[in-house]
Amino acid sequence: MPDVIFYRDDALPFLEAKYCTRSDLTYQKHFHEEYSIGLIDEGETSAWCDGTMYQVEAGKVISFPPHMLHACHPMSLTSWRYKMLFIKQDWLKQLGPRELEQLRIPFLLEGEKNQYCQRLINQVMDSLSLGEEPLVLESAVVELIHALVNSDSDDLEHSARNSHEQKYIGRILEYLHAHYTERVMLEELEKAVGISRFHLIRLFKKGTHVPPHAYQNLLRINHAKAELAKSRPIADIAAETGFYDQSHFSRAFTKIVGVTPQRYASSSR
């Protein structure tokens, strides 16, 4: 495996990811055009950022605004692994003025917020490397940005009771029920519902406790269960329900149902 890998998805041109295991890289002062968010998987680094030095150990998330000079100097040349996400500014312009202002300062996260963002970064990287659908990827990036700019990321878990909010949640549910077998994009949901994707993801998760892509997968799996009970070919059901191949379908199905599609089908007869 190469020691530096870049991941991209043509459907999401605003996003690029980097995975590095090369321990002899010491970066000179530089900046990125994009907003960049890093996660140290292994090792420790001295990170210089706009005149301030930070010590960043394994498990820590650090971010840099566009055009802010920074440099990293790993403390060990034997164990060093990190992930980096690069998010283009045009995509971030959909945020409100307050959130954009907060992204103009660097972050070195702590505690539960760090753990929450760590999980989301890993989710984005895993989704990119596995070729997951754009809705999965962009939803995770939206959640990550929300977590960075909000002092309390736990508000994503609270129930929505406002009737105005429920109206939008109902529209999202209606769209997903009508299009769950399709390759749904956040841009399409945004147009169908009439609110920004940043507000949409936050609102839907508040009201249903899962992001849109997870709800869409549940609809797909429930449809697949009904079709498997009819003894139809698994490959046909995987394609019909919108999974890009049979192995992807099997992984998703097993996570929800607890057994593989083949085992479920054989026990349904």
Side-chain angles (χ1 to χ4, degrees), residues 160-177:
R161 297 184 178 89
N162 182 293
S163 61
H164 192 63
E165 293 178 339
Q166 292 290 2
K167 177 186 71 174
Y168 287 121
I169 293 167
R171 288 181 185 173
I172 301 168
L173 288 169
E174 184 179 342
Y175 189 90
L176 290 175
H177 276 266

Side-chain angles (χ1 to χ4, degrees), residues 253-268:
F253 190 94
T254 304
K255 284 181 181 178
I256 301 300
V257 183
V259 295
T260 64
Q262 185 172 10
R263 186 172 170 189
Y264 180 84
S266 64
S267 65
S268 298

Side-chain angles (χ1 to χ4, degrees), residues 132-133 217-229 232-257 259-265:
E132 294 271 18
E133 293 181 75
N217 251 11
L218 291 175
L219 292 173
R220 288 173 166 177
I221 296 302
N222 285 333
H223 175 82
K225 285 169 67 179
E227 296 305 305
L228 286 166
R232 293 185 57 208
I234 293 174
D236 291 353
I237 296 170
E240 179 183 288
T241 48
F243 293 97
Y244 55 80
D245 60 30
Q246 193 170 327
S247 63
H248 181 216
F249 170 54
S250 184
R251 286 196 305 270
F253 190 94
T254 304
K255 284 181 181 178
I256 301 300
V257 183
V259 295
T260 64
Q262 185 172 10
R263 186 172 170 189
Y264 180 84

Side-chain angles (χ1 to χ4, degrees), residues 65-260:
H67 302 115
M68 182 170 282
L69 281 167
H70 60 278
C72 291
H73 305 279
M75 305 296 286
S76 169
L77 297 180
T78 56
S79 59
W80 175 241
R81 291 187 298 117
Y82 73 91
K83 303 178 178 84
M84 206 84 188
L85 303 179
F86 303 99
I87 303 169
K88 291 186 178 179
Q89 295 181 71
D90 285 347
W91 184 81
L92 289 167
K93 286 178 182 176
Q94 300 167 89
L95 286 168
R98 183 185 67 83
E99 288 87 356
L100 278 172
E101 187 62 35
Q102 286 186 275
L103 289 180
R104 292 194 179 100
I105 60 171
F107 290 101
L108 180 60
L109 302 186
E110 302 286 346
E112 291 183 8
K113 186 169 182 176
N114 184 81
Q115 293 174 2
Y116 184 70
C117 291
Q118 180 187 55
R119 179 174 64 79
L120 290 168
I121 292 170
N122 284 326
Q123 183 181 332
V124 172
M125 292 296 295
D126 290 345
S127 296
L128 273 170
S129 63
L130 292 170
E132 294 271 18
E133 293 181 75
L135 183 60
V136 178
L137 270 163
E138 192 167 10
S139 296
V141 177
V142 168
E143 285 194 68
L144 176 60
I145 296 299
H146 270 310
L148 285 169
V149 300
N150 285 286
S151 57
D152 181 12
S153 59
D154 288 338
D155 67 349
L156 291 170
E157 309 298 334
H158 296 166
S159 296
R161 297 184 178 89
N162 182 293
S163 61
H164 192 63
E165 293 178 339
Q166 292 290 2
K167 177 186 71 174
Y168 287 121
I169 293 167
R171 288 181 185 173
I172 301 168
L173 288 169
E174 184 179 342
Y175 189 90
L176 290 175
H177 276 266
H179 301 276
Y180 68 87
T181 63
E182 301 170 18
R183 185 181 167 94
V184 175
M185 304 283 288
L186 263 183
E187 184 179 6
E188 296 167 2
L189 271 177
E190 191 177 56
K191 290 176 181 176
V193 177
I195 55 176
S196 77
R197 66 195 68 184
F198 287 92
H199 191 198
L200 186 153
I201 292 290
R202 187 164 181 258
L203 201 59
F204 189 79
K205 193 171 180 184
K206 281 173 67 179
T208 66
H209 307 286
V210 292
H213 69 84
Y215 190 89
Q216 181 187 19
N217 251 11
L218 291 175
L219 292 173
R220 288 173 166 177
I221 296 302
N222 285 333
H223 175 82
K225 285 169 67 179
E227 296 305 305
L228 286 166
K230 300 174 185 177
S231 302
R232 293 185 57 208
I234 293 174
D236 291 353
I237 296 170
E240 179 183 288
T241 48
F243 293 97
Y244 55 80
D245 60 30
Q246 193 170 327
S247 63
H248 181 216
F249 170 54
S250 184
R251 286 196 305 270
F253 190 94
T254 304
K255 284 181 181 178
I256 301 300
V257 183
V259 295
T260 64

